[in-house]
Each structure stands twice: as structure tokens, then as C-alpha cells.
Amino acid sequence: MPVHNQDIAEQFDELADLLEIEGANAFRVRAYHNAARTLRDLPHSVTEMVSAGENLTELPGIGKDLASKIETIVETGRFPQLDELKKAMPKGLAEVKDIAGLGPKRVKALHEALGVEDVEGLKKAAQAGQLHELSGFGKKTEENILHELETRGSGEKRHLLREAESRAEPLVDYLGRVDGVKEVVVAGSYRRRKATVGDLDILVSCTRNSPVMQRFVDYEDVSDVISHGGTRATVVLKSGMQVDLRVVASSSFGAALHYFTGSKGHNIRVRKMGLERGFKINEYGVFQGDTQIAGKTEADVYSQVGLPYIEPELREERGEIEAARDGKLPELIELDDIKGNLHNHTKASDGAATLREMATAAKEHGWSYLAITDHSKALRVANGLDEDRLARQVDEIEALNDELDGITLLKSIEVDILEDGSLDLSDAILKRLDLRVCSIHSHFRLSRDKQTARVMRAMDNPYFNILAHPSGRLLGSREGYSIDMERLIDHARENGCIMEVNAQPQRLDLDDVYCKMACEAGVKLAISTDAHTPHHLDFMRYGIDQARRGWVTADDVVNTRSLKDLRKLVAR
DNA sequence: GCCGTTTTCGGCCCGACTGTTTTCAGTCG
């Protein structure tokens, strides 16, 4: 059984946690975390790299030692160093370290002095009042840990970007109305438009006497105040989402925005570039000695290290620093580039609106075409269309198009890819359509090889145009099916197939990493809303966000084209 | 443990807040 990148990454993270508790060199610990991150971001299988004899040390953060450890894991399925460490160090301690307020030093003390081995053991010790007797622990620390143990689980989950927006927007509005507040920006992964957001980092500039900090902790949605200082406060909202607020001077706003937008890896690179030039970069600005030489805007900070402005979505340490240095940053796609939408449902299957209602809503978005892609007959739960019903819908669309002005409905279908890789409708009806969107809704648990072969066979069908939600993931509830995306991308290129970026907030599929890989391979993308009601058409911007994170330009996306050019692109 | 216009050693980002201290360690982002 092949070892997946994610498996190795988890073992590296676990080893790093245990090493840290043991008191190992912090940079050695970081090296394992860095390598884990590299493996997670890697769009192809490290198992295949090993069997192809490729040199793993060319991957960032992976040197001779870690390369050989990866090879051992791939070849034997075992990680001897981790097994060894687990003998000396209970595995449950890694979980204890995840509890807020507990880091490696305290976990080590708990283990050595009280024999704590896991969260359960910690709970017993805390309830027995043993914690505050340890040096470095006090009454308050014990209380905090007990409180954390009780409410555990509520604060650690990640939130869909859309959910985070629904919390952030009213709060930003509230803070913006506080006396003396000049600017309010949500930084962090929210600003980088990650598909999911852990917490909110809000940055404020204001006059010296502004009561913004007090007003923040008094906000009606706050359930818990974690910390509350002069320039920084942390609260938990009733929804369980944690929010950090930082107050900075206008002269430092750009530097702070850069710092709190991250990612961490990106920031470290920029700070290092500053050091090479003899500058110190922190959240207050760029400093030469004690003199601030930049910091008012982010562009100033970049400019001091010889870089052009880098869009937040690119700041993931995935080559953006090098691209910026070489003048090769992509010109990222924008919402206004979109001219149409190629995946939408109506009442005919599981949607809520009529053809005409969808057309009207699409026109209001300023689009000139909208593909109607109801489900096909295999998807009975969604009232999928068979050949006869689809033929009637095609007639209906043709008639409606004669009436509509400024918007064209495209005759299309979201046709199921059956288990054997055939499509769920006859060629005769598929031929009558303007384009076909193809997707998997069944047999999610096929082996990786079978699942990959299934979709590749479907792509061989000359009526296959767009692969919808290619991984099948549902954020927070379902992993994608096991499939070799790299081979699918190659096969799509060879057959002139398009990959979808599904803009539904819980899908965002393709993800950012595969978007980048597909575009680099020369495969075109379609960014589509998979709308089931007119208001789902608003989801387009979430698809744009992920595409931007994947370095996608307008040219990479088929639905930035005029209808005439789109028709040429989908002709196989 | 990685990495190299500082290259095989000696660095590795840096400041705020809390709690337990009495000048600072630990944690967090």
C-alpha cells in the first residue's frame, strides 16, 4: 500500500511535538514541522518520487537526513525514530501540548513531576489540585487548564471562509464606528483567503485616546476574554471563534498588516531579506538601527527588501518570493474578469429556481452566458434527467434564448461518471448540448487506481468537457476520494478537458495547490458556482479567491472568454 | 535538522501578554 504524503507529514509533526517536549533543539523541531508542511503542500506523491529515484533533497526543508527517513517510511511503512521516541515518551503528551496554555516546558514538567501521560491524566491531576503545587504553575494556571479541558473542542475547529465572513463583517463594522478609529482590516488567513479560517486577526489604527480596545472586549458577541492588554486583546465569540485585535499607529499600519497577514513562512523570508540588507523588520516597521525607514504601507515594506507588492493570496511561501524577485508574479484573475458561469441547477433536478429566474439572476451579475447543468438520471435522489427530459429541457432553453436579451443559456448537463467510467447519458443527447460537465456522485470508496482509471476513461469520451469538483471533498465533513490528481491533470491536457474550480464554500475544489499545478501543466480551468438557487451565484467570488491562491490568471480560465471564444475552447 | 552573495559552521523572526515572579519564563501568533 502506498504511503501518502499526509501520512508522513503527520508522523513528522508527531515526532516534532514529542522531541519538543523532550527538550530537543527548537530548530530541529522546526525542521520536522517544515518538512511536514512541504509534504502537505506537495502536489505529487512522494512515494512515486522515491520509486522513480528522484532526489528528495531538492524539496525545500528536506536535507539528507529527512530524505533518508522519508525513504525508510515509504519502503518499510515504519518510522523507527518515532517508534523509539514513543517508548520513552507517551504518545498522549502530544495531545496535552495542544491544550491552550500548555507548551513543551509545562508538559514536560507535568510528565516528570506528576506522571501525566495523556489528557485524561492531566484532568485527574488538575481536579485533584496537584497542578498549582508545581513550580511555574499557580492557582490561576490550574484554573485556566481546568476551564480549557471543560470547553475543549469548541475553539479548535476551523471555520469555512464564508462562516468567518459572517462573523467578521459585523464586527469590522462595529469597530469602524468606535471614536477615533481610522482603519480596520481583518488580516491573517482570512485576508489570504484560505478555504478555512482558524481565528480572526483584526488590525486597527486609531487615535491615541480611542476606546476601541475596551469596546472590543465589550462587543455583544463576545463570550470570553482571554487577554486584554494595551495594544492587544484576544476574545472568544459565542460561536466559538477566537478573535485577536491589535492596535497600531498609522505610521506602522503597513508593517503590522504585513506581519499579521502572514503566512508565517512568508514573513520569515521577508524578515531574512531585511536582515541581509542590514534592516530589522517587525510589526512596527522596517528599521535601520533605531530609525524607522518604512512601515506606513505594505508596499513600502516590500520595496525596502527589493520586492514588488505581493498579493495576500500568494503569501504562502510557495515560490512567490522568487517570482517577485524575478519580476514573474502572475497577474491574478479578478471577479470582474468572469463573463459567465458553467455549472448551475434548476427545478428540473435539485435546484430551486426556473430557467428564467436563473437567467435573470445571471444577467444581474453582468454575465453574458449561464450553462444549465442539471443532474443526470443516475442521481435519482436529485431527480436527475434522463434522455427524454433533457431533450425537452434543450427545446425549452432554445425557445427561451429567443426571448432573452443580453444573456444566453447554454444547453448543458452535469452528467454522472458511472463506476466503469462511462457517462450516464447517450452520445446522441450529449451531442445536442453546448457543453457537458462531468462528475462523480457514487462509488467514492474505489481504490486509488480504479478511481483514477474511472475518470480517465470518462475523459476519453469526446463529449467530456469539464471535470466538476474533481476531488469530491466537503470541507469539514468529507475527505476527497482517493484519486491521482496529477495523472488526471496530465490526461486532461492530452484530451483537451477542463478542470472545474467549484466555488461552493464547502467545496472549493480544485484546491489552490492543484489549481497551480493544472495551470502549470497547461490545463484550462472553469470557475463555476454549482448554484442551486439564484443567490448561490454570489459564490463566484469564493472560487476566484481559491484560484488566486493557485496563481491563476484570467487567461487560464475559460469562463473569462466571450461566448464565441468559449465555444471554440470546448470544441474537442 | 536545514542551509549557504555570511557556504561546511553557526546561524535559524520577534514582540505582547499572562502568571508567577521580584526580574522573568512560558506561551502564542
Side-chain angles (χ1 to χ4, degrees):
Chain A
M1 195 174 69
V3 181
H4 296 305
N5 299 359
Q6 179 68 24
D7 306 332
I8 305 175
E10 276 169 20
Q11 297 193 64
F12 278 4
D13 278 333
E14 192 181 346
L15 184 76
D17 283 342
L18 294 177
L19 278 174
E20 193 178 13
I21 295 165
E22 203 187 46
N25 178 307
F27 298 108
R28 186 172 164 224
V29 172
R30 186 193 290 173
Y32 278 101
H33 284 308
N34 287 343
R37 204 191 85 103
T38 293
L39 291 171
R40 284 203 175 84
D41 278 352
L42 200 63
H44 43 263
S45 158
V46 77
T47 297
E48 280 171 24
M49 289 182 74
V50 171
S51 46
E54 287 178 55
N55 185 4
L56 300 180
T57 64
E58 284 174 15
L59 298 173
I62 294 182
K64 228 172 156 181
D65 183 89
L66 286 179
S68 105
K69 287 190 167 88
I70 292 170
E71 282 162 10
T72 303
I73 296 172
V74 165
E75 284 159 9
T76 68
R78 300 233 52 93
F79 187 10
Q81 286 81 3
L82 182 58
D83 294 340
E84 200 57 39
L85 194 55
K86 277 192 208 159
K87 279 185 205 158
M89 183 74 54
K91 182 175 158 43
L93 288 184
E95 208 187 327
V96 175
K97 194 176 85 72
D98 283 341
I99 292 168
L102 290 180
K105 300 278 162 52
R106 284 182 176 154
V107 173
K108 190 176 188 209
L110 288 167
H111 177 52
E112 287 178 350
L114 301 176
V116 168
E117 297 197 341
D118 50 27
V119 176
E120 205 42 47
L122 174 67
K123 204 175 228 168
K124 279 184 191 150
Q127 283 162 349
Q130 294 177 300
L131 262 48
H132 71 267
E133 291 163 6
L134 289 181
S135 110
F137 290 72
K139 271 266 183 236
K140 185 83 189 180
T141 304
E142 185 172 273
E143 272 170 36
N144 287 346
I145 290 172
L146 272 168
H147 181 253
E148 188 62 32
L149 284 168
E150 278 162 21
T151 58
R152 217 167 114 74
S154 58
E156 63 186 38
K157 99 177 210 291
R158 292 188 71 83
H159 309 262
L160 294 183
L161 182 54
R162 176 178 165 75
E163 291 169 20
E165 271 185 357
S166 73
R167 311 288 173 200
E169 283 170 358
L171 178 52
V172 166
D173 186 52
Y174 167 86
L175 293 172
R177 284 185 278 109
V178 173
D179 283 347
V181 168
K182 296 179 204 161
E183 280 177 285
V184 185
V185 179
V186 185
S189 54
Y190 182 94
R191 185 163 177 251
R192 302 200 310 278
R193 309 309 285 165
K194 274 193 78 163
T196 60
V197 173
D199 57 13
L200 295 175
D201 300 296
I202 303 184
L203 210 57
V204 162
S205 71
C206 59
T207 55
R208 201 175 287 273
N209 55 359
S210 171
V212 66
M213 212 39 127
Q214 188 58 47
R215 297 288 294 281
F216 173 62
V217 298
D218 291 343
Y219 183 55
E220 61 176 0
D221 250 4
V222 168
S223 72
D224 229 343
V225 178
I226 306 282
S227 72
H228 180 189
T231 62
R232 178 176 187 164
T234 300
V235 302
V236 177
L237 300 183
K238 287 170 186 161
S239 62
M241 183 176 283
Q242 183 171 312
V243 187
D244 294 337
L245 183 74
R246 291 287 298 235
V247 172
V248 294
S250 292
S251 58
S252 295
F253 199 76
L257 189 54
H258 181 255
Y259 177 66
F260 289 106
T261 296
S263 67
K264 198 170 177 181
H266 176 91
N267 285 350
I268 289 172
R269 291 288 306 276
V270 172
R271 285 193 176 186
K272 273 188 188 167
M273 291 179 77
L275 285 176
E276 284 159 16
R277 287 168 166 74
F279 305 144
K280 185 178 75 166
I281 301 178
N282 58 27
E283 57 262 54
Y284 300 106
V286 181
F287 294 87
Q288 191 159 32
D290 290 334
T291 313
Q292 184 189 6
I293 56 173
K296 203 166 167 49
T297 71
E298 285 188 312
D300 294 344
V301 175
Y302 282 116
S303 140
Q304 286 299 334
V305 296
L307 294 177
Y309 178 78
I310 299 175
E311 297 285 356
E313 295 92 327
L314 295 179
R315 301 181 197 170
E316 294 292 344
E317 213 201 348
R318 291 179 185 154
E320 73 279 6
I321 302 269
E322 290 75 8
R325 192 189 55 206
D326 300 342
K328 289 182 178 162
L329 283 174
E331 192 173 324
L332 298 179
I333 185 168
E334 291 176 9
L335 184 57
D336 281 350
D337 292 323
I338 295 294
K339 299 233 169 32
N341 183 345
L342 301 177
H343 184 166
N344 304 283
H345 298 267
T346 72
K347 277 183 166 172
S349 60
D350 58 350
T354 63
L355 289 171
R356 189 184 295 272
E357 286 163 349
M358 291 300 284
T360 306
K363 193 177 165 186
E364 282 166 10
H365 278 76
W367 298 331
S368 59
Y369 51 89
L370 185 83
I372 299 301
T373 57
D374 277 306
H375 289 290
S376 65
K377 63 186 183 223
L379 209 59
R380 287 170 192 276
V381 288
N383 192 24
L385 278 61
D386 62 14
E387 282 81 355
D388 289 344
R389 288 180 62 211
L390 179 54
R392 286 202 294 278
Q393 188 186 57
V394 164
D395 293 341
E396 233 180 295
I397 291 174
E398 285 175 349
L400 187 54
N401 274 337
D402 288 340
E403 269 181 56
L404 291 171
D405 182 31
I407 180 91
T408 303
L409 291 182
L410 298 179
K411 295 164 284 180
S412 187
I413 188 78
E414 179 178 10
V415 59
D416 261 53
I417 299 171
L418 303 179
E419 186 180 4
D420 64 359
S422 61
L423 299 181
D424 184 34
L425 293 169
S426 70
D427 285 359
I429 188 72
L430 292 177
K431 194 176 174 179
R432 282 192 67 191
L433 303 176
D434 294 306
L435 69 119
R436 305 106 206 140
V437 174
C438 308
S439 63
I440 284 180
H441 294 104
S442 64
H443 303 99
F444 294 154
R445 293 178 173 277
L446 294 187
S447 73
R448 189 176 174 87
D449 281 347
K450 278 193 180 152
Q451 199 69 280
T452 307
R454 172 189 186 184
V455 177
M456 283 169 59
R457 179 166 170 233
M459 285 179 175
D460 291 337
N461 185 317
Y463 296 113
F464 188 117
N465 296 121
I466 299 175
L467 178 61
H469 42 74
S471 85
R473 74 170 179 180
L474 291 178
L475 291 165
S477 57
R478 185 175 83 200
E479 296 268 306
Y481 17 83
S482 177
I483 202 160
D484 187 339
M485 202 60 77
E486 195 170 5
R487 279 175 72 199
L488 288 190
I489 287 171
D490 282 343
H491 207 67
R493 184 190 50 234
E494 287 161 13
N495 290 278
C497 299
I498 295 158
M499 308 278 266
E500 178 181 271
V501 180
N502 189 297
Q504 288 276 333
Q506 77 280 18
R507 286 195 184 271
L508 301 176
D509 176 17
L510 287 179
D511 70 15
D512 46 4
V513 172
Y514 284 125
C515 279
K516 185 162 189 262
M517 185 174 176
C519 292
E520 282 169 357
V523 171
K524 294 288 184 213
L525 303 177
I527 306 179
S528 303
T529 59
D530 197 354
H532 286 68
T533 80
H535 77 257
H536 284 174
L537 298 177
D538 295 335
F539 292 161
M540 183 62 80
R541 61 195 181 87
Y542 299 109
I544 298 288
D545 287 338
Q546 295 313 301
R548 287 169 63 87
R549 288 177 52 80
W551 298 48
V552 174
T553 67
D555 187 57
D556 294 322
V557 175
V558 295
N559 50 318
T560 61
R561 306 297 205 279
S562 68
L563 181 54
K564 193 176 151 200
D565 290 343
L566 175 76
R567 287 189 195 278
K568 280 186 217 155
L569 269 174
V570 296
R572 283 178 63 177

